[in-house]
Amino acid sequence: MTPTALLSDLVACPSVNPRHATQFAPPHGEAAMVALLDKLLRSWGATTAIHDVHPGRPNLLATFPGKNPNRAILLDAHTDTVAVAI
């Protein structure tokens, strides 16, 4: 997948935080973004786990194997976005 295609998929994915999604029809929330990222990261060799924090509001944990099992790097990001008035 090219960087342009990846960015296009990420931008097109519905991910508006439900608290800010009143002007949008479903789907909204993190579920679609987590599903997209889960599929992508697994294709890159990650082991993934999805945990529902609230119904329809999952978190994704992805791990990649490294050379030293006693060391890790953590990258953290939000999977929801804030609505923009149109």
Side-chain angles (χ1 to χ4, degrees):
M1 173 177 283
T2 67
T4 303
L6 174 57
L7 181 59
S8 178
D9 287 350
L10 292 170
V11 170
C13 186
S15 59
V16 175
N17 185 299
R19 290 183 295 171
H20 305 289
T22 55
Q23 73 260 37
F24 297 100
H28 45 67
E30 297 89 346
M33 182 62 72
V34 166
L36 185 153
L37 292 172
D38 179 55
K39 182 178 177 182
L40 175 69
L41 294 170
R42 281 188 290 116
S43 77
W44 290 351
T47 300
T48 63
I50 297 173
H51 303 279
D52 279 330
V53 178
H54 296 287
R57 308 234 17 229
N59 280 340
L60 173 67
L61 175 65
T63 56
F64 291 91
K67 293 179 182 177
N68 185 337
N70 297 318
R71 299 181 80 190
I73 296 174
L74 172 67
L75 304 175
D76 182 30
H78 287 262
T79 54
D80 65 332
T81 56
V82 177
V84 176
I86 299 175

